[in-house]
Amino acid sequence: MTTRTAPTSAIFSAAVTLEPAEAERFDLAFEAKTQPCPWPKAYGGDLVAQAATAAMRSVTDGKTLHSMHSYFLRPADIGATVRYEVEALRDGRGYSTRQVRAYQNGKPIYVCLANFAAGESGGTFMAELAQTVADPDQLQNSAEYLADRSGGSMTEESKAYWSGGRSFDMRHVPGPVYLEVEGERTPHQAVWVKPFDTLRAVKGLTDAQRDIAALAYVCDYTILEPVLRVLDRPWADPSLVTASLDHAMWFHRPIVFDDWLLYAQEAVAADAGRGLAVGRFFTRDGRHLATVLQEGMIRTAQGE
């Protein structure tokens, strides 16, 4: 009899545990490992969250990360060390800027600019949800949805990963796009997300910084899905080939990631083998926490 362990957020914690290293190119350096996943290349959120962590550990005067702009240059090997070199471009009274470059096998695989703000008064405005969505407690989790389903390119390994290997419980509205596109082929969807268990302390980060890194980590899992939805291309389509190309994220308000957050997403464009989507994170009571824009490669193996 196989004993199944409850899913945890430990994979995320391991991903953002960085070890200091000797700087070779810039001002500071850290090393981290990409986490297991059932694909040929590492999960892009590993790189985003690790770079965010490296940048945050380089800013020690209390400023808060408020934006990141990233490019994915090469695929990252799974379970291998990535070296993050941090360049301190500017430290001002109100803002600080860092460049982070990730290297693996001697080549740059990812680069980002990260900006930090001290914060000041200037008025408040928040985007609002366009429509009411179902409560997460009324929705199936990924494990329940996939329990008796199979097909396409899905393997037992990928099924287990989607069900409990991503550190976060994810519940889709109107429905997942794992094996087929559930619900209407509209350019809109929403995903409720919550850590499987209480996020662990992360060396070198405050709890507030850890929760920023957690949002950066989880945002890449589903951001291209509204594009897949409108194109009627589920993840298990054997001909589907995807990859993250570039990414931007803005953190508007303090984040406490201990409850469900709603990730409202919309496809913006799809053409020439690329798709662009925008996403916004909201608390259950409607506070707008962060905004994401990401472009990805979306093509078929046959070049359809």
Side-chain angles (χ1 to χ4, degrees), residues 132-160:
T132 302
V133 301
D135 190 84
D137 296 328
Q138 300 171 357
L139 304 171
Q140 285 185 314
N141 61 34
S142 298
E144 292 166 341
Y145 176 83
L146 291 168
D148 300 316
R149 290 179 166 90
S150 62
S153 63
M154 185 177 68
T155 64
E156 286 302 312
E157 185 182 12
S158 61
K159 186 174 180 178

Side-chain angles (χ1 to χ4, degrees), residues 232-252:
D232 197 18
R233 294 284 188 182
W235 287 116
D237 181 341
S239 68
L240 180 67
V241 181
T242 66
S244 299
L245 295 176
D246 57 272
H247 169 100
M249 191 167 190
W250 294 265
F251 304 92
H252 310 304

Side-chain angles (χ1 to χ4, degrees), residues 1-152:
M1 179 178 177
T2 301
T3 301
R4 293 185 177 272
T5 58
T8 76
S9 61
I11 289 175
F12 158 73
S13 301
V16 294
T17 298
L18 275 58
E19 297 296 334
E22 192 71 26
E24 296 177 357
R25 296 172 174 87
F26 297 124
D27 301 303
L28 291 170
F30 300 91
E31 291 183 342
K33 286 190 176 181
T34 55
Q35 298 304 298
C37 68
W39 324 124
K41 56 186 181 295
Y43 167 53
D46 278 3
L47 305 182
V48 176
Q50 289 169 354
T53 299
M56 286 189 288
R57 287 182 63 170
S58 76
V59 177
T60 58
D61 60 359
K63 296 188 185 77
T64 301
L65 178 65
H66 75 85
S67 69
M68 293 181 67
H69 299 265
S70 308
Y71 279 91
F72 300 85
L73 307 179
R74 292 179 175 88
D77 294 337
I78 298 170
T81 298
V82 180
R83 181 183 185 82
Y84 292 88
E85 292 267 352
V86 183
E87 182 180 12
L89 295 177
R90 180 177 183 269
D91 280 305
R93 185 175 61 182
Y95 293 88
S96 292
T97 305
R98 298 291 186 265
Q99 177 183 227
V100 184
R101 292 189 187 182
Y103 295 86
Q104 194 176 70
N105 302 319
K107 296 180 179 180
I109 62 171
Y110 168 93
V111 62
C112 84
L113 287 173
N115 217 45
F116 295 77
E120 54 192 304
S121 60
T124 297
F125 170 79
M126 286 190 292
E128 297 181 358
L129 279 169
Q131 59 185 20
T132 302
V133 301
D135 190 84
D137 296 328
Q138 300 171 357
L139 304 171
Q140 285 185 314
N141 61 34
S142 298
E144 292 166 341
Y145 176 83
L146 291 168
D148 300 316
R149 290 179 166 90
S150 62

Side-chain angles (χ1 to χ4, degrees), residues 164-297:
R166 300 186 291 182
S167 290
F168 296 85
D169 192 344
M170 303 180 205
R171 306 187 182 190
H172 287 71
V173 181
V177 295
Y178 297 131
L179 295 164
E180 60 183 353
V181 176
E182 292 279 328
E184 298 180 22
R185 275 57 167 172
T186 65
H188 304 273
Q189 73 167 24
V191 184
W192 287 104
V193 295
K194 185 177 75 169
F196 280 125
D197 56 8
T198 302
L199 292 178
R200 294 149 179 78
V202 174
K203 180 173 62 176
L205 297 182
T206 66
D207 287 352
Q209 290 173 325
R210 175 205 60 202
D211 289 4
I212 289 173
L215 212 62
Y217 181 85
V218 76
C219 76
D220 190 32
Y221 276 125
T222 58
I223 187 58
L224 292 182
E225 288 186 352
V227 183
L228 299 183
R229 183 179 297 279
V230 76
L231 296 178
D232 197 18
R233 294 284 188 182
W235 287 116
D237 181 341
S239 68
L240 180 67
V241 181
T242 66
S244 299
L245 295 176
D246 57 272
H247 169 100
M249 191 167 190
W250 294 265
F251 304 92
H252 310 304
R253 292 174 178 83
I255 296 161
V256 179
F257 207 169
D258 61 358
D259 195 2
W260 290 105
L261 297 180
L262 184 66
Y263 194 9
Q265 303 164 343
E266 179 181 359
V268 177
D271 205 355
R274 300 187 309 277
L276 179 68
V278 61
R280 295 181 176 89
F281 283 97
F282 294 88
T283 61
R284 294 187 76 162
D285 61 0
R287 288 179 57 79
H288 180 202
L289 299 181
T291 300
V292 179
L293 271 169
Q294 182 155 316
E295 186 177 45
M297 181 187 76

